[in-house]
Structures are given as structure tokens and as C-alpha cells.
Amino acid sequence: MSGSSDPATRAGEREHAEFVQQARAAGVGMYTRNTFNRLFNGVAIDLPNTRHLERLAGLPAVKRTWPMQMRTRSVAIPSSNVSPNLMFAHQHTGVERAHAELGLDGSGIKVGVIDTGVDYMHPDLGGCWKTPGCPFQYGSDFVGNGYDSVATPHPEPGPDPRDTCDGHGTHVTGIIAAKGLKVRGVAPGVTLGAYRIFGCPGNGTGQAADDVILKALEAAHADRMDVINMSFGGGSGWSEDPLSVAAERLVRDGIVMVASTGNDGANGLYSSGSPGLGVGVINVASFENWKITSLSIDIVGSHRNISIVHSSPGNSKFRFIFETPAEVVAPTDSTGSIEGCAPYDTDHTGQILLIKRGNCTFVDKAERAQEAGAIGVMVYNNEPDLMSPTSVSPNVTISLVVIKADDGQAILSELNYGKVTASATNHTMSVDNPAGGQISQFSSWGPDPELRLSPAVGAPGGNIFSTFPLALGSYTSLSGTSMASPYVTGMVALILQARSKNISVEEVRQLILENAHPIPDRNNTELLSPLRQGSGLANIWDSLASQATVEPSQLSLNYTVISGTTSGSSSTKNKRSVAEAPGVSVRTLTLYNRSPSNFLTCTMTHLPASSVSSYAANGSFTAVPRLWPESAGAKVAPDTLPSAFIESHELPIRIAPGMKQKVSVRITAPVGLSANDRWLYSGYLRFNMLWDDQVGTAQSLHVPYMGFLGNYTQLDVLSPPDEGFPFISMKGSAEALTPDSHVTIDSSHRVSAHYRLEHPTRVLKVQLVDDANATLGFLPYGFLEYMGRNYQSTRGRFSNSTLNGTLYADPDLTQSHEVKPGAYRIRIDALRPLRNPSDPEGYQIWHSSRFIIDSVSLAKNASASTQDDDEDNSNEIFRP
């Protein structure tokens, strides 16, 4: 619900009261969850009777409704090794120098952490709460231990945000501000605010609802935080998402917002999540740490002794610690398999089981071993490297870890000689990380659906050792963009301290992004696409030393038609400044010389990056993006790479102290590639700066760019029928209805339309039409806005909408009527990228086969879901 006044005004408060009065007068039964008057003028409610939505939407006080979305913490991935040292990362990001040479620690800067809460009693985090001199001076618990957005959706907040059951927020806070011998954060002198939005694990989905998060954001805003960290995400993946909009408003109010970009790298392009996509938010990709200090398992056999590394436990509550040596055995289960998926016929009380990975879940393996009396499980991988298991289950109370395939084979060989024992203590061993300094494979890809570049920048997030609740072991290693985001948050605090907060949010963002270091793609000779690494690996030393900035910090070129006239999006933000030839984009950038006393000389070097596509050479969709160049040894024609140069300006560029200079950069798309392959091309503009001071200060700034090769507005959104979607079936059946099938609609029989989105869409309509293609109305939840694309995982691989006998005449789905018997088709309209929703020509349209409804008996509303079923989870409505 939104009135006409600005948020945080008395008029807005009056509109809240008017809304409640109008709802009561209309007989609308509702439960008010939260009210907002700072970031939004609105209210979040539960609406037990969804049929009251029609009355509610028609109230004069209601401007717009949104369904409540549920967010997950950007799930921290138990690292492949247990204790990587954060200090190794500090050596590669300039943090160590900033501490030692500049004495910066973030003192005087207020940092808000919106997360699972924090174990503030951890000695490395101060061991205190809101006492004089304590780092924690702000924050609240908004949910309580038992909260879950679905299972227990009504929060029961505790007295403070202490977390002793999860650890995510404690780990995040340690990366920012820990001050101990084992962990020293990026900005250990900051003042902290902890805002708890997640309950304890195991309560249900582990998610938080939008209204809870907005309440925390409003509290951090009221507490006047200087920078806010958000290591969570989800939603639609659009900048129009409510949380993205809220984050953008905080940026406009002068608060630096930092967020994780997401851990959905395996799902390919367009996997960055909100709120990180909010305009002006710094959303952060994850890079791997350079050094790993891992806990070890000491194996003693009759032939030889070895020490091996292992993953983090599948459940952090049950650590893999055995101070007294325990016998290791590798039994077969009741089916004769060494994979431990079936019950064991033999007793293994007090033993550690060595089990091969495969054919069932880690929970299954742990449960079968525990039933046989085992005290621990070592699963040896079926691939060379380590991986991170998950064995969280109420039924599992023993520890499970993964070891390398070679180490598993070595133990099996040793068992051939006789008895083998294992002990595991807090003994550690340091090893190099072969992937150190590279992008983490889990880190999400950009761009956003409107071709804005994402992520913004990268930071260490893979294999990060930090603080953990005292009850859960005090320290652990986790991996995720959840760990990279607080690293940049700490960097922001150092910049604010160095500038005495006399710096704009935009300039802070510029210093972080433009001084980052882009890295090469491991698979070929070009740089890694900025759609994966943003501006590159952040370096705080270079940011602090910077005497120049460039506007804008990133370039989104929209799309490039390589035959005929070039077209762009309707966004005024990215309109071309001059007439352009086919395949060419021209952008104006402004160079600022921030030195008060020295002239700046500047040149520009172009660095091409990999082009990427979601489509294989045969045109089929692929989750793992296709790259060009394909490999380091591939012969590459020059016109298959983009190029760029400064035009119409005398070079080198000279800029007086404190002055600025505009330059035009001409970027040519890789016209040698086929537009049919739907490439996203990219590169970096490196500005080489030299000042005429006595020491000849030099600096390089990087501005990434990306664009789409071809006409982005003509892309299909729905998967082609030859990939199996869309189709219609009776609900619960995977068998498509044959043309002119006769059906009955009642509580047990419904028609479901199954579809797959291979590209995000702003508007999706699912309607029933007659033989003349006249629209009879929308199916339940048949008008959807700002939809993300479907992923390749089992759940969420496709979406569906179910015809249950009720149709709606309006997009708000409030004006219902009953379907009459007759011949019909289901039509799906998906808005193509950047097209106007009011233009009928802007939609991709699919018609199902014809079917005949013989009779209708109304039933409970069905829903459209991004899961593999149509369970209705949509009775919670969010109203800004």
C-alpha cells in the first residue's frame, strides 16, 4: 500500500491510518506484520483469505501490491579446508599495508551488519554488548531463534541479536572487524550495529521475508550507519525488486551499501541476486584465498603413516575431532556397495567409516553409518579435488567430512596390510591454494536483465577463516560471496576513515571499482569477463592512493546491431551520445585529476575480455556459459574481439590540477562473431595516469564495459518446444495432453501449463483463450512481473500455472469469474527484453494445443510457481 506523500512524513502516517480504516470498513480480514515510513510508505500484511485481495486492491489508499518474497542468506559454503588464514588475503588486497603504513582501522565509522546476528561474546569481537568502549553500540533482534519465513512466519524477537546457533553473521562480522590473534578483520576499529533477520537453522526454509529485512534496513538507517553489509540475496534478480529499490534509496541518503552477488555461478548468466542489483549498490563477487591452513587427519597404519586434509564438517555442530585414535574401516553395505547408501548388516560401534562418494546424499551415508554405530564418516571423493558436503539433518549427530580421492585410495591400500586408525585434533598444516587469486566457481554471473553490468567488483570470499559462535567452535572457514561482501565493507570503512567521511557515496564506489585489478581468464589468453569478476579484485591500497577518478566507473553498452542502424534500450541512462556506425558504440567519459598541485598526463589502453553466451554452437541453452576465445591455444581473428580507442582528442591527454576532461571512447563490437550465437562481449579500458610530481606518481584505472552482440529486444524468453517446454498436462502428470483432449475441472482434475524461461522477463501472462484467440482471462497467478529465468537444477528447472476453474479479468487478479465448458487453449505471453509492456508486438507468444472442458467444479486457487509443482505459497502480500 502506498499513498501520495513522501515516506517519513506525517501525511504518510495519516495514510497508514486511512488504509486500516478503509480495510476494516470493506470487511477485509488481515494481520499487520510491519509498517514502514522511512524507505517505503507502506505496510506488510498477511491476508488469510486471498479472495479479499479484490476488495483490498480497490481501496483508495492502495497504490500497488507486491507478493512477499523470501530471502536466503547467501549460503556460506563450508570450505574445502577448514582454516584458511584471512591474513594471507590481506597481503594481496592492500589491507596489510593500509594497517601497517597508514594506521587505518576504520575507527569512527559505523558499520551495520544485517544477517543472522552475531555472537558478540566472542573475545575477538569484543566480548560485550553496548557497554562503554564496546564495538557493538547498535542493533536489534527482529526475529528470535525460532523464526522461519514460512514455517514460523511471525517473529518473536529476543532481547538482543546474539547468535549462538548459526554462525553466518558472526563469520561475516569477523571479516569486517575481528581483533584477535587468529583473526584480524579488514577494519577492526569500526563501531558495529548487528541487525538479526534470520532464525536458527533447522526451523524450516532458513529464509527471511522482505518485511523483516526492510524493518532492519530502516533501523540501520535510523541509527545512521555509514556503510551497511548485506550478505544475503534472492528475489527476482531485477533492480526493480523491492529490496533493491530500498537499497538504492539508502544509497541516495548517503549510506554506502555493499551486498553479495550470490553463489549461483553454476546456473550461468543472469544469476546475480537482489538487493545487490540496486542502483549504486556495490555487489561483490568472490575470489579464492591464496593460502590454506587446514586441519589434518593423522592416519596410522601397519605399513605407513600419513597426514591428510579434509573438508569442513557437513554439519558445523558436529566437528571432526577425535583426540583418541579410532579404528577406520571400509565396509560394504547390505547391497555389497562401498558407497554406503543402504543399511549395514555389520556392527561398527566406535569406528570411523570410509565411504566412497556417489549414488546417494551425504545425509543418507551419515544416517546409515550412524545406525551401524559409527562415530564418524570420511567420504572419499570421486574427483581429484575436495568438495564441501552438507549433512545437516535432525537425524544425524555424527560428523561427516570429505577427503581427496587419492587419500581415500591410500587408506584403502593401507587397510590391505591390517588395522588403520585415525585421530583428528586442532593440528593444522599450511598449503598453497592452487586456485588462489582466481574467481570462485560458485560466484554468480551478471548481467542484470536490463543489461546493466554485474557484479561491481570482487574480493576474497573462497576459503576464508573467521570467527564463529563460541558454542560452535569459535572459528571456522567458510566460502561464499557472503564472505567477499564484508571484505569490501571493511575497505569502505577504511576509505571513509582516511577521508574523515568527507567523500560522497559515488566517489567511494569509484575508488573501490576503478582501482581493482582484473584477472585473466584461466581458459584462454583474454581477461575474465566483467560479467564474472566486475572491475576485478579490489585493492584498498591503490584506492587510498588514488589521485584520479573516471565517470562512469562501468559502461553498459546495451546491444549492438551489426547490420543496419544501431539501436539501444529505452533507458536514458545509456543513450548514445553521437551517431554511430553499425557495430560501434561511442561513450563519453570524464577524467578527474584529484591532485591539487600536479598536472596529469593520461593515455588509454584497451584490454579485451572473453565473450560469453548462454547458448551452445548448436543453439541449445547451456547453464555453463560458452566462451570465446574457446581456449588459450585457439587461433583468434582480430574481428572476433572487441576494440576501443579514444577519438577526436589530442593524445596524450593533459589535465590541470583539480580539473576534469571529457573524452569520447569508440568501442567496436566483435563483428566477426555471429549475432545468432547471442554473445555478450566485454573488455576493460585501462587509463594510464602519470603526474608531474618529483617522484613521477603513476596509476592505472580500469573501467569495464559489456554489450550484447545483436538485437537484444528480439531474444526469445521461452524455451523452444524441441527442448520439451512449454506443454500442458493434467496436474501431476508429465504426459502432454493430446490435441482436442476432453477434460473435467474439479478438485482432483486440473490443467497445468508448464514452461521454462531461458531469459528473465519483465511481464509474463498466462491466459485462457478461445478458438478465435480471444482472451477469457488470466489463470490464477497468471500475471507475473519481473521474473528471473529458470535454472537447470531439478527444483526450479521449469515453472507452471494451473487452471482450476477460476479466471481473472484484471492483471491484479482480483476480478474473478468461473470458466465455462468449451474448447480452449492456454496462451503464454512473455515480454522480450527491453520491450514496452504496452506494445503487443513486444511479446513472444505460445499457444498450447486445443482442449475441451466438459464440466467445471470450482476448487481452491492454484498458483504459478518456480518449483516443479503448483503449491500455493502466495497468501502473504507485501505493500510498500
mmCIF file of all heavy atoms in Angstrom, residues 64 125 131 195 199 210 229 239 262 307-308 371 380 444 532 557 619 641 694 743 788 808:
data_model
loop_
_atom_site.group_PDB
_atom_site.id
_atom_site.type_symbol
_atom_site.label_atom_id
_atom_site.label_comp_id
_atom_site.label_asym_id
_atom_site.label_seq_id
_atom_site.Cartn_x
_atom_site.Cartn_y
_atom_site.Cartn_z
ATOM 1 N N ARG A 64 -0.286 0.089 -4.913
ATOM 2 C CA ARG A 64 0.256 -1.094 -5.587
ATOM 3 C C ARG A 64 0.442 -2.200 -4.573
ATOM 4 O O ARG A 64 0.642 -1.941 -3.395
ATOM 5 C CB ARG A 64 1.595 -0.771 -6.261
ATOM 6 C CG ARG A 64 2.154 -1.957 -7.033
ATOM 7 C CD ARG A 64 3.422 -1.629 -7.787
ATOM 8 N NE ARG A 64 3.939 -2.823 -8.442
ATOM 9 C CZ ARG A 64 5.050 -2.870 -9.157
ATOM 10 N NH1 ARG A 64 5.766 -1.773 -9.315
ATOM 11 N NH2 ARG A 64 5.460 -3.998 -9.702
ATOM 12 N N LEU A 125 35.671 -10.304 19.004
ATOM 13 C CA LEU A 125 34.687 -9.299 18.614
ATOM 14 C C LEU A 125 34.323 -8.379 19.771
ATOM 15 O O LEU A 125 33.345 -7.634 19.692
ATOM 16 C CB LEU A 125 33.431 -9.980 18.062
ATOM 17 C CG LEU A 125 33.642 -10.839 16.812
ATOM 18 C CD1 LEU A 125 32.351 -11.545 16.420
ATOM 19 C CD2 LEU A 125 34.164 -9.999 15.649
ATOM 20 N N THR A 131 28.160 -1.776 25.881
ATOM 21 C CA THR A 131 28.808 -1.176 27.050
ATOM 22 C C THR A 131 29.806 -0.129 26.566
ATOM 23 O O THR A 131 30.201 -0.122 25.396
ATOM 24 C CB THR A 131 29.528 -2.253 27.877
ATOM 25 O OG1 THR A 131 30.442 -2.953 27.020
ATOM 26 C CG2 THR A 131 28.532 -3.238 28.459
ATOM 27 N N TYR A 195 22.014 -6.426 13.138
ATOM 28 C CA TYR A 195 20.574 -6.451 12.914
ATOM 29 C C TYR A 195 20.196 -7.862 12.461
ATOM 30 O O TYR A 195 20.493 -8.268 11.338
ATOM 31 C CB TYR A 195 20.182 -5.403 11.871
ATOM 32 C CG TYR A 195 20.671 -4.019 12.235
ATOM 33 C CD1 TYR A 195 21.926 -3.566 11.830
ATOM 34 C CD2 TYR A 195 19.880 -3.171 12.993
ATOM 35 C CE1 TYR A 195 22.381 -2.308 12.170
ATOM 36 C CE2 TYR A 195 20.327 -1.903 13.347
ATOM 37 C CZ TYR A 195 21.581 -1.470 12.934
ATOM 38 O OH TYR A 195 22.036 -0.225 13.283
ATOM 39 N N GLY A 199 16.447 -16.691 11.781
ATOM 40 C CA GLY A 199 16.395 -17.517 12.972
ATOM 41 C C GLY A 199 17.449 -18.604 12.918
ATOM 42 O O GLY A 199 18.349 -18.593 12.076
ATOM 43 N N ASP A 210 10.710 -10.334 3.171
ATOM 44 C CA ASP A 210 11.078 -8.964 2.819
ATOM 45 C C ASP A 210 10.759 -7.954 3.905
ATOM 46 O O ASP A 210 11.534 -7.027 4.150
ATOM 47 C CB ASP A 210 10.333 -8.552 1.543
ATOM 48 C CG ASP A 210 11.030 -9.027 0.278
ATOM 49 O OD1 ASP A 210 12.127 -9.596 0.388
ATOM 50 O OD2 ASP A 210 10.477 -8.828 -0.810
ATOM 51 N N ASN A 229 26.333 -3.806 5.347
ATOM 52 C CA ASN A 229 26.658 -5.052 4.645
ATOM 53 C C ASN A 229 25.432 -5.955 4.591
ATOM 54 O O ASN A 229 24.753 -6.170 5.597
ATOM 55 C CB ASN A 229 27.799 -5.791 5.345
ATOM 56 C CG ASN A 229 28.203 -7.035 4.574
ATOM 57 O OD1 ASN A 229 28.938 -6.954 3.599
ATOM 58 N ND2 ASN A 229 27.719 -8.185 4.997
ATOM 59 N N SER A 239 16.603 -4.969 -10.716
ATOM 60 C CA SER A 239 16.842 -3.786 -9.892
ATOM 61 C C SER A 239 15.538 -3.192 -9.387
ATOM 62 O O SER A 239 15.544 -2.387 -8.455
ATOM 63 C CB SER A 239 17.619 -2.729 -10.686
ATOM 64 O OG SER A 239 16.893 -2.303 -11.823
ATOM 65 N N GLY A 262 25.899 -13.358 -4.960
ATOM 66 C CA GLY A 262 25.224 -14.651 -4.985
ATOM 67 C C GLY A 262 26.176 -15.797 -5.283
ATOM 68 O O GLY A 262 27.262 -15.603 -5.836
ATOM 69 N N SER A 307 49.404 -37.933 6.891
ATOM 70 C CA SER A 307 48.519 -36.863 7.350
ATOM 71 C C SER A 307 47.804 -36.312 6.136
ATOM 72 O O SER A 307 48.427 -36.014 5.113
ATOM 73 C CB SER A 307 49.306 -35.753 8.047
ATOM 74 O OG SER A 307 49.846 -36.213 9.266
ATOM 75 N N ILE A 308 46.486 -36.179 6.249
ATOM 76 C CA ILE A 308 45.688 -35.736 5.115
ATOM 77 C C ILE A 308 44.800 -34.565 5.530
ATOM 78 O O ILE A 308 44.503 -34.375 6.709
ATOM 79 C CB ILE A 308 44.812 -36.875 4.552
ATOM 80 C CG1 ILE A 308 43.804 -37.354 5.607
ATOM 81 C CG2 ILE A 308 45.671 -38.035 4.068
ATOM 82 C CD1 ILE A 308 42.793 -38.364 5.088
ATOM 83 N N GLU A 371 23.436 -45.487 12.127
ATOM 84 C CA GLU A 371 22.608 -46.631 12.516
ATOM 85 C C GLU A 371 23.459 -47.854 12.846
ATOM 86 O O GLU A 371 23.069 -48.684 13.678
ATOM 87 C CB GLU A 371 21.637 -46.973 11.380
ATOM 88 C CG GLU A 371 20.542 -45.934 11.165
ATOM 89 C CD GLU A 371 19.819 -46.128 9.842
ATOM 90 O OE1 GLU A 371 20.197 -47.063 9.086
ATOM 91 O OE2 GLU A 371 18.892 -45.338 9.550
ATOM 92 N N TYR A 380 35.456 -40.402 0.650
ATOM 93 C CA TYR A 380 36.495 -40.029 -0.301
ATOM 94 C C TYR A 380 35.860 -39.691 -1.640
ATOM 95 O O TYR A 380 34.954 -40.355 -2.120
ATOM 96 C CB TYR A 380 37.592 -41.085 -0.416
ATOM 97 C CG TYR A 380 37.201 -42.462 -0.892
ATOM 98 C CD1 TYR A 380 37.362 -42.833 -2.234
ATOM 99 C CD2 TYR A 380 36.715 -43.410 0.002
ATOM 100 C CE1 TYR A 380 37.030 -44.110 -2.659
ATOM 101 C CE2 TYR A 380 36.392 -44.683 -0.417
ATOM 102 C CZ TYR A 380 36.540 -45.032 -1.748
ATOM 103 O OH TYR A 380 36.223 -46.306 -2.180
ATOM 104 N N SER A 444 28.334 -15.844 -8.643
ATOM 105 C CA SER A 444 27.293 -15.651 -9.651
ATOM 106 C C SER A 444 27.750 -14.769 -10.806
ATOM 107 O O SER A 444 28.617 -13.903 -10.660
ATOM 108 C CB SER A 444 26.050 -15.027 -9.019
ATOM 109 O OG SER A 444 25.389 -15.944 -8.185
ATOM 110 N N ARG A 532 31.680 -11.785 -14.715
ATOM 111 C CA ARG A 532 32.034 -12.715 -13.641
ATOM 112 C C ARG A 532 32.793 -12.027 -12.524
ATOM 113 O O ARG A 532 32.589 -12.322 -11.352
ATOM 114 C CB ARG A 532 32.890 -13.866 -14.210
ATOM 115 C CG ARG A 532 32.965 -15.094 -13.274
ATOM 116 C CD ARG A 532 31.657 -15.841 -13.307
ATOM 117 N NE ARG A 532 31.523 -16.859 -12.313
ATOM 118 C CZ ARG A 532 32.016 -18.102 -12.385
ATOM 119 N NH1 ARG A 532 32.739 -18.456 -13.441
ATOM 120 N NH2 ARG A 532 31.781 -18.983 -11.445
ATOM 121 N N LEU A 557 26.772 -1.089 -22.567
ATOM 122 C CA LEU A 557 26.561 -0.612 -23.929
ATOM 123 C C LEU A 557 25.210 -1.011 -24.494
ATOM 124 O O LEU A 557 24.919 -0.720 -25.644
ATOM 125 C CB LEU A 557 27.668 -1.154 -24.849
ATOM 126 C CG LEU A 557 29.110 -0.859 -24.420
ATOM 127 C CD1 LEU A 557 30.090 -1.453 -25.419
ATOM 128 C CD2 LEU A 557 29.341 0.639 -24.266
ATOM 129 N N GLY A 619 22.885 -23.995 -30.819
ATOM 130 C CA GLY A 619 21.740 -23.167 -30.478
ATOM 131 C C GLY A 619 21.009 -23.570 -29.223
ATOM 132 O O GLY A 619 20.094 -22.860 -28.798
ATOM 133 N N LEU A 641 37.264 -10.133 -31.598
ATOM 134 C CA LEU A 641 37.472 -9.495 -30.303
ATOM 135 C C LEU A 641 37.047 -8.035 -30.416
ATOM 136 O O LEU A 641 37.203 -7.408 -31.473
ATOM 137 C CB LEU A 641 38.943 -9.566 -29.887
ATOM 138 C CG LEU A 641 39.537 -10.959 -29.668
ATOM 139 C CD1 LEU A 641 41.031 -10.846 -29.379
ATOM 140 C CD2 LEU A 641 38.836 -11.682 -28.536
ATOM 141 N N GLN A 694 57.589 15.184 -8.239
ATOM 142 C CA GLN A 694 59.009 14.832 -8.202
ATOM 143 C C GLN A 694 59.272 13.340 -8.333
ATOM 144 O O GLN A 694 60.275 12.930 -8.894
ATOM 145 C CB GLN A 694 59.635 15.352 -6.894
ATOM 146 C CG GLN A 694 59.741 16.871 -6.826
ATOM 147 C CD GLN A 694 60.438 17.334 -5.564
ATOM 148 O OE1 GLN A 694 60.649 16.573 -4.623
ATOM 149 N NE2 GLN A 694 60.805 18.621 -5.531
ATOM 150 N N VAL A 743 -11.484 -32.824 -20.914
ATOM 151 C CA VAL A 743 -11.076 -32.795 -19.518
ATOM 152 C C VAL A 743 -12.235 -32.312 -18.652
ATOM 153 O O VAL A 743 -13.152 -31.633 -19.116
ATOM 154 C CB VAL A 743 -9.862 -31.859 -19.308
ATOM 155 C CG1 VAL A 743 -8.671 -32.317 -20.137
ATOM 156 C CG2 VAL A 743 -10.214 -30.419 -19.624
ATOM 157 N N GLY A 788 12.704 -13.786 -12.895
ATOM 158 C CA GLY A 788 14.021 -14.281 -13.244
ATOM 159 C C GLY A 788 13.903 -15.513 -14.118
ATOM 160 O O GLY A 788 12.837 -16.116 -14.242
ATOM 161 N N TYR A 808 -9.361 -14.637 -14.046
ATOM 162 C CA TYR A 808 -9.371 -13.262 -13.560
ATOM 163 C C TYR A 808 -9.331 -12.312 -14.749
ATOM 164 O O TYR A 808 -8.562 -12.498 -15.691
ATOM 165 C CB TYR A 808 -8.173 -13.010 -12.643
ATOM 166 C CG TYR A 808 -8.219 -13.856 -11.396
ATOM 167 C CD1 TYR A 808 -7.645 -15.130 -11.379
ATOM 168 C CD2 TYR A 808 -8.855 -13.401 -10.243
ATOM 169 C CE1 TYR A 808 -7.714 -15.915 -10.234
ATOM 170 C CE2 TYR A 808 -8.920 -14.182 -9.108
ATOM 171 C CZ TYR A 808 -8.345 -15.444 -9.110
ATOM 172 O OH TYR A 808 -8.417 -16.215 -7.988
#
